[in-house]
Amino acid sequence: MVGDGYTIGEVLNQLKEEFEDITISKIRFLESEGLIYPDRTESGYRKFTDDDIDRLRFILTAQRDHYLPLKVIREQLERVDAGQPPAAGPPLPEPALGVDQQPGQRAAEIAAALEAAVSGGDGLLLEQQAAQVSLNLRDFCEATGLESGDVRALRDFGIIGERGDDPSGPFDGDDLLAARAARELLRLGLEPRHLRMYRQFVDREVALFEQLITPLLRQRNPEARRQATRQLDKVATLTGRMKRALLVRALRGYVHGA
Amino acid sequence: MVGDGYTIGEVLNQLKEEFEDITISKIRFLESEGLIYPDRTESGYRKFTDDDIDRLRFILTAQRDHYLPLKVIREQLERVDAGQPPAAGPPLPEPALGVDQQPGQRAAEIAAALEAAVSGGDGLLLEQQAAQVSLNLRDFCEATGLESGDVRALRDFGIIGERGDDPSGPFDGDDLLAARAARELLRLGLEPRHLRMYRQFVDREVALFEQLITPLLRQRNPEARRQATRQLDKVATLTGRMKRALLVRALRGYVHGA
DNA sequence: GACCGCAGTGTGTGCAGTACATCGCCCTCT
DNA sequence: AGAGGGCGATGTACTGCACACACTGCGGTC
């Protein structure tokens, strides 16, 4: 061996202390898979630099300690080679927001007003004016900033509109609030189909709440009806709080651990 | 099909929304590998409970988001079955620092303080001190006003404590918040078993959120980690808002109509 | 010129499933 | 009541990944 750089056998011996299960054939395999590309001598022998060895160390650690498949490791290395450490999912192009349109001005105002009324408080505000809002498809798109394709998708997954509704509306204030939140979620990388579980869950929750308050509604007495509303508000607030605590605990472990 | 329990096809459809690449043969394969063991009918059909589905969800998440091999997942499940928490080898948690507390009276104060900190805002407050709280069973009962029987029930239905935790604690601040809300709900006439669906839902929601932020957490860059936390906060806030709109619309129809 | 180390190729192995092929159960429609 | 059709169960074969092992041939050194 003429010049500088380690032979494959020397590399093997250096890494063997740290990684039990390294072999020559594994190193060769990693090269054949494009994870490393050591230089070669005239006669074809591999010539490893210290950087190559660090790279190998990274690969072996990722495998042994994080069980990452080579495909994933290769992607990480490629990103590092390209100069970027960021590894976020899809690029997520930001669609221009904040630029409100002329004609739908009205609808957007309504949306903002509703959001303001709802924010900061756990209550349900069942008696609110959200029910009075009624928008057709065009205005609804303008007020939410959604394409009509997205609106269709949200309807298909039960986020807006009623089962078997007319596909073109009308949409009420609750649809508006749901759709505005949904739009942000889509921008953060969620797919409409992911939102379906929220609808499913709400259906279950509604069934539960119904069980609780049907006795009250069965009496025609208007006072009982008002009490039912108060009861609903309370139980929704409490379940919301409880759910949030469960979520926080689960996520806290996830963000800080692992 | 006679009684309770889902068939393999029903399980498939439930999980398909969350996990693209699940198939019947994969579920069968996981059983043959001893990761799940659903019950059988007389005639040999598999009969899945909700717990079985949760277990599957855990397995599939571990594979997809953490690339864990089945062998490792099986070991984790076995530890959970045996009553020990996951215990992830080397990374042992820091023994809680700061916020020391005296038992008894103090506990209720902490609870009130936590509730005040959380109320009025949709955010998650992941960085908050709720994690530092640590109460034993007696103090926890005092702080929440629950009987130890209720505490047990809440634990059995996944509202407080971790899967396979020590039944007598310790309980953290999130448990406290969840339990205080749960106590009110029980007073309003709900049964502990009704609360189980909230836990199930949170598990699904966490799996969804994990999908979104694992790419960020995979880089051990602390800035990416902070961004992941912000992202989580955003997505939790938005889904919460959206869910509330869905709920309100559904309940409005119920209270006023029918 | 023997011999060790490295090169390349080919075949084998365990894991994590997929793809059939075949048979049995169960619900529905007539 | 009986006939289909759909779903479910099992078993075998086949695939892709991540290597391990064996064999043969060449380079360089003593």
Side-chain angles (χ1 to χ4, degrees):
Chain A
M1 182 66 41
V2 223
D4 41 12
Y6 310 95
T7 69
I8 196 167
E10 288 164 354
V11 171
L12 180 73
N13 286 326
Q14 280 192 46
L15 292 174
K16 204 138 213 173
E17 290 157 32
E18 230 177 305
F19 304 94
E20 299 273 284
D21 62 342
I22 180 94
T23 63
I24 288 201
S25 84
K26 184 163 180 173
I27 297 172
R28 287 207 276 247
F29 172 72
L30 292 175
E31 187 192 12
S32 78
E33 292 296 303
L35 289 158
I36 54 173
Y37 18 82
D39 207 1
R40 300 281 184 137
T41 66
E42 280 299 274
S43 57
Y45 281 29
R46 291 175 183 81
K47 239 175 26 178
F48 292 83
T49 66
D50 284 317
D51 281 352
D52 290 327
I53 295 181
D54 283 346
R55 200 179 171 90
L56 273 168
R57 202 170 267 127
F58 176 82
I59 295 164
L60 295 170
T61 306
Q63 282 197 295
R64 186 191 52 190
D65 297 342
H66 304 295
Y67 304 97
L68 295 189
L70 294 191
K71 211 172 83 169
V72 175
I73 298 173
R74 178 165 38 222
E75 279 161 20
Q76 288 187 4
L77 285 171
E78 275 162 13
R79 270 195 299 275
V80 169
D81 287 346
Q84 274 121 327
L92 295 181
E94 298 263 324
L97 104 146
V99 187
D100 31 22
Q101 288 91 349
Q102 310 300 338
Q105 191 78 315
R106 254 333 215 274
E109 271 170 33
I110 293 170
L114 281 179
E115 267 167 14
V118 160
S119 79
D122 298 322
L124 284 181
L125 304 168
L126 277 180
E127 305 303 356
Q128 216 205 246
Q129 68 282 18
Q132 256 102 20
V133 176
S134 173
L135 297 169
N136 63 23
L137 180 59
R138 169 189 299 282
D139 291 340
F140 190 71
C141 287
E142 272 176 49
T144 56
L146 288 164
E147 306 286 313
S148 71
D150 291 329
V151 171
R152 163 183 292 274
L154 290 179
R155 213 186 51 85
D156 287 347
F157 291 113
I159 302 303
I160 56 179
E162 220 23 78
R163 251 193 254 282
D165 250 7
D166 178 1
S168 65
F171 301 99
D172 68 15
D174 294 317
D175 291 327
L176 198 51
L177 290 170
R180 300 256 290 191
R183 167 168 148 270
E184 296 301 310
L185 289 167
L186 296 180
R187 284 211 355 226
L188 289 172
L190 290 178
E191 305 279 336
R193 70 191 154 78
H194 290 134
L195 303 180
R196 183 211 305 246
M197 62 186 244
Y198 289 94
R199 169 57 189 267
Q200 285 170 352
F201 179 69
V202 167
D203 287 344
R204 295 182 65 182
E205 199 174 29
V206 167
L208 176 63
F209 292 177
E210 282 189 16
Q211 271 183 63
L212 204 66
I213 62 154
T214 20
L216 281 171
L217 285 183
R218 210 169 288 298
Q219 320 159 249
R220 302 228 149 285
N221 172 358
E223 175 46 36
R225 212 159 254 272
R226 268 192 298 281
Q227 206 203 313
T229 308
R230 280 198 301 275
Q231 187 98 322
L232 268 182
D233 211 294
K234 238 191 234 173
V235 75
T237 303
L238 288 166
T239 54
R241 274 224 268 275
M242 186 182 76
K243 202 207 117 214
R244 186 155 64 172
L246 294 182
L247 184 64
V248 168
R249 194 192 44 198
L251 291 177
R252 204 197 306 276
Y254 183 64
V255 169
H256 295 132
Chain B
M1 183 61 41
V2 223
D4 41 9
Y6 310 96
T7 68
I8 197 167
E10 289 163 354
V11 171
L12 180 73
N13 287 326
Q14 281 192 46
L15 292 174
K16 214 154 207 156
E17 288 156 33
E18 244 177 292
F19 305 95
E20 301 272 280
D21 63 341
I22 179 109
T23 62
I24 288 201
S25 70
K26 183 162 179 173
I27 297 173
R28 288 206 272 247
F29 172 74
L30 292 174
E31 186 192 12
S32 78
E33 292 296 302
L35 289 158
I36 54 173
Y37 18 84
D39 206 1
R40 300 284 184 131
T41 67
E42 278 304 90
S43 58
Y45 280 30
R46 290 176 183 82
K47 236 177 24 179
F48 293 83
T49 66
D50 284 319
D51 282 350
D52 289 326
I53 295 180
D54 284 346
R55 201 178 169 92
L56 273 168
R57 203 170 266 127
F58 175 82
I59 295 165
L60 294 170
T61 305
Q63 281 196 294
R64 186 192 52 195
D65 297 341
H66 307 296
Y67 304 98
L68 296 188
L70 293 190
K71 210 173 80 170
V72 174
I73 298 172
R74 178 168 34 224
E75 280 160 19
Q76 287 187 6
L77 285 171
E78 275 161 13
R79 267 196 299 275
V80 169
D81 287 345
Q84 256 102 352
L92 287 174
E94 300 279 317
L97 74 160
V99 188
D100 45 9
Q101 73 241 356
Q102 301 304 320
Q105 185 72 306
R106 270 327 228 275
E109 276 169 32
I110 292 168
L114 281 179
E115 266 166 16
V118 159
S119 79
D122 299 321
L124 285 180
L125 303 167
L126 277 178
E127 305 302 357
Q128 216 204 243
Q129 69 280 17
Q132 255 104 21
V133 175
S134 173
L135 298 170
N136 62 23
L137 181 59
R138 168 189 300 283
D139 292 339
F140 190 70
C141 286
E142 266 178 56
T144 56
L146 288 164
E147 306 286 312
S148 71
D150 292 328
V151 171
R152 164 183 291 274
L154 291 178
R155 210 187 52 84
D156 287 347
F157 291 111
I159 301 302
I160 56 178
E162 218 26 74
R163 248 197 252 282
D165 250 8
D166 179 359
S168 66
F171 302 97
D172 68 14
D174 294 318
D175 291 327
L176 198 51
L177 290 170
R180 301 258 288 190
R183 169 170 145 267
E184 296 302 310
L185 289 166
L186 296 179
R187 280 235 288 259
L188 290 171
L190 290 176
E191 304 280 335
R193 72 191 152 80
H194 291 133
L195 302 181
R196 179 213 284 261
M197 62 185 245
Y198 289 93
R199 170 56 190 266
Q200 283 170 358
F201 179 71
V202 167
D203 286 345
R204 295 184 63 182
E205 198 174 29
V206 167
L208 176 63
F209 292 177
E210 280 192 18
Q211 270 184 71
L212 205 66
I213 63 153
T214 21
L216 282 173
L217 285 182
R218 204 167 289 302
Q219 333 160 263
R220 45 223 186 294
N221 173 356
E223 175 48 34
R225 214 158 253 271
R226 269 191 297 281
Q227 205 202 314
T229 307
R230 281 197 301 275
Q231 187 101 320
L232 268 182
D233 213 291
K234 240 192 236 175
V235 74
T237 303
L238 288 166
T239 54
R241 273 223 269 276
M242 187 182 75
K243 201 206 120 219
R244 186 155 63 171
L246 295 182
L247 184 64
V248 168
R249 195 192 44 199
L251 291 177
R252 204 196 307 276
Y254 184 65
V255 168
H256 296 133

